Amino acid sequence: PRRRERERERERDRSKETRRREMPNPLTDAPEDTSTAGMAAQEQGYFKVTASHAIAVHETPSLASAAVCFKQPGQVVRGEVQGEFCKLTSGEGFALVCHPTEGPALAPLSPALFKVAHKTVLVRAHATTSAKVLKIKKEGDDLLVDGHLEGWLKVHGLPSSSPRDQQDGSQDPSAAALGWVLITHQAYGKLCQHVEGEVPTFADERALEGSMDTPRSVYTGKQADPLTERLKLELAQMRTEVGEREQKALSSTMADNYDVVRRGLMSNAGQAASGSFCVGGDPL
């Protein structure tokens, strides 16, 4: 019996030692990366204003901070999700993704799908035919597109063409090169065919914000008048600016009205303390 008891104790000691070895060491074993920074990096991209009214862009990620500007319904912005807010890449500030009482304000905008409709298509570094060629796409290849600018498509997630970045793996995925593809050519006709997805129109080549007022020619592939597209884009920008000014004016008017009410209440409170009641500063 004693021998069996000693053997059982030895087995228990061995099992304890085995479990101790299998337990992770907090000093040497690195845990998996579950930080919010990693989640934010995965949620970088374009967002569309889905609210029925203009949304405020705040100085800091807080509703209590001042509003620096407003984004109108249908506008598209580029940003990075940080908790409950979206940090705009333009540097303007932070926009609330989902309002606690009014519901969603921003929705992720997935890249649209195009197909190469010509023998070869050149992906260039800028939206001009004189820019450097970054890549060559062949007929039938898929193109993921972030948006449109004056007859050009911005290719989504185009890797950098720098050999150094490709060799040492130091390229930041969020800093991918901006590649541009021409939709139609004056001599060769339609180069890219829209398959599915929404295509926003950017305000400029930086592609930091835009709108959904995209010309129909982007979806149909028919060549359009560049002057007409430029006028439509400028008209959309004017509408956005007017909307922002109206929103600021409304906020300023509401603030003035609150100030008048506050002064009236303070005046009434002072008169009430002396034994009378006032309306608009005049005692009754």
Side-chain angles (χ1 to χ4, degrees):
R2 293 181 180 178
R3 184 180 300 176
R4 292 180 181 177
E5 186 175 352
R6 285 196 295 269
E7 290 178 356
R8 290 175 182 173
E9 290 179 357
R10 290 174 184 174
E11 289 179 0
R12 286 196 292 267
D13 293 339
R14 291 195 201 100
S15 61
K16 289 181 181 179
E17 181 66 19
T18 302
R19 287 196 298 269
R20 187 185 65 81
R21 291 178 180 178
E22 292 177 351
M23 291 178 63
N25 188 340
L27 300 178
T28 59
D29 298 339
E32 295 182 0
D33 183 14
T34 57
S35 62
T36 56
M39 294 175 61
Q42 294 177 0
E43 297 183 13
Q44 290 182 354
Y46 290 95
F47 297 84
K48 181 174 66 173
V49 179
T50 56
S52 59
H53 54 80
I55 63 172
V57 178
H58 299 271
E59 290 182 345
T60 62
S62 171
L63 292 178
S65 64
V68 296
C69 64
F70 295 87
K71 299 301 178 183
Q72 301 298 320
Q75 271 194 273
V76 176
V77 296
R78 180 170 176 80
E80 174 185 346
V81 175
Q82 295 185 356
E84 298 178 349
F85 286 82
C86 177
K87 181 180 180 181
L88 303 189
T89 309
S90 61
E92 294 174 292
F94 300 81
L96 189 65
V97 177
C98 184
H99 197 276
T101 59
E102 299 175 359
L106 291 174
L109 188 63
S110 302
L113 177 62
F114 280 74
K115 274 192 178 295
V116 176
H118 194 259
K119 286 189 278 187
T120 56
V121 167
L122 304 180
V123 183
R124 298 184 180 273
H126 302 283
T128 173
T129 54
S130 61
K132 176 184 176 182
V133 177
L134 301 178
K135 205 167 186 180
I136 298 177
K137 289 289 188 177
K138 297 182 179 180
E139 186 174 4
D141 288 350
D142 291 340
L143 287 175
L144 292 179
V145 171
D146 285 327
H148 158 264
L149 176 65
E150 298 180 0
W152 291 81
L153 300 175
K154 177 184 172 295
V155 181
H156 171 78
L158 185 69
S160 172
S161 59
S162 171
R164 179 180 177 183
D165 291 343
Q166 294 176 359
Q167 290 177 2
D168 58 18
S170 60
Q171 181 190 353
D172 182 4
S174 63
L178 295 183
W180 297 87
V181 171
L182 194 62
I183 302 176
T184 58
H185 194 275
Q186 292 182 353
Y188 303 118
K190 182 168 61 176
L191 303 180
C192 300
Q193 176 63 51
H194 176 262
V195 178
E196 62 180 4
E198 295 181 293
V199 185
T201 294
F202 295 123
D204 51 45
E205 196 172 335
R206 294 180 302 166
L208 297 180
E209 66 176 8
S211 69
M212 297 309 299
D213 296 327
T214 301
R216 188 168 181 79
S217 59
V218 175
Y219 296 97
T220 61
K222 295 181 180 180
Q223 193 167 2
D225 182 14
L227 178 59
T228 303
E229 292 195 6
R230 165 61 69 176
L231 291 176
K232 288 182 179 179
L233 179 60
E234 291 180 355
L235 180 60
Q237 292 177 349
M238 290 175 60
R239 289 174 178 171
T240 301
E241 292 176 0
V242 170
E244 291 182 357
R245 291 178 182 178
E246 290 178 348
Q247 193 70 27
K248 289 182 179 179
L250 179 61
S251 301
S252 178
T253 303
M254 292 177 64
D256 293 340
N257 292 339
Y258 289 147
D259 188 56
V260 171
V261 173
R262 180 182 61 82
R263 290 180 181 179
L265 292 175
M266 292 178 64
S267 176
N268 289 338
Q271 295 292 341
S274 61
S276 61
F277 184 76
C278 298
V279 175
D282 299 327
L284 293 177

